[in-house]
Amino acid sequence: MRSPDSPFVLNALKGNSWQYDSKVQVITYPIPDTMANYEVDLECMWDSHSILDWISQVSKKTWATSECVGDMVSLLDAILDFQGKYCGGGMLGPTKEAQR
């Protein structure tokens, strides 16, 4: 994961509807018209399959607009570096075991 102070992460957070808590490794979305937040645990994202699963899960939520999903993808890419670590050149990224 990139540092929370990385220019990639800081730029992705500008105007983004999601928030990033690097201490507990979660991104959070304030669900509209409620006092609730939706949390996505980054430590559950071991490979490209699990990343895509989370994106798919969020996209199916009734409150998830295309902007919400786009913001999520932008922030996840900035934090996780999709091309560099998970799916560059069409190759599968690291598994949980490979990251240890």
Side-chain angles (χ1 to χ4, degrees):
M1 285 189 215
R2 288 187 172 128
S3 162
D5 298 326
S6 158
F8 294 103
V9 175
L10 294 174
N11 189 48
L13 284 168
K14 289 180 185 171
N16 198 306
S17 53
W18 290 78
Q19 298 299 311
Y20 175 40
D21 186 338
S22 61
K23 288 184 171 71
V24 292
Q25 295 299 311
V26 298
I27 60 172
T28 306
Y29 183 79
I31 301 172
D33 302 322
T34 72
M35 298 296 289
N37 291 319
Y38 189 83
E39 285 190 354
V40 175
D41 185 351
L42 300 180
E43 292 179 347
C44 292
M45 295 187 181
W46 311 303
D47 55 23
S48 54
H49 297 100
S50 58
I51 294 169
L52 184 57
D53 181 60
W54 271 105
I55 294 168
S56 180
Q57 284 184 47
V58 169
S59 73
K60 289 175 177 51
K61 300 294 183 190
T62 58
W63 45 259
T65 63
S66 56
E67 181 181 5
C68 164
V69 176
D71 282 353
M72 177 190 185
V73 170
S74 176
L75 185 55
L76 287 175
D77 187 24
I79 296 167
L80 300 174
D81 185 17
F82 291 164
Q83 287 296 118
K85 297 201 166 118
Y86 290 91
C87 57
M91 302 298 292
L92 292 178
T95 63
K96 189 174 187 179
E97 291 77 27
Q99 292 178 350
R100 290 182 184 169

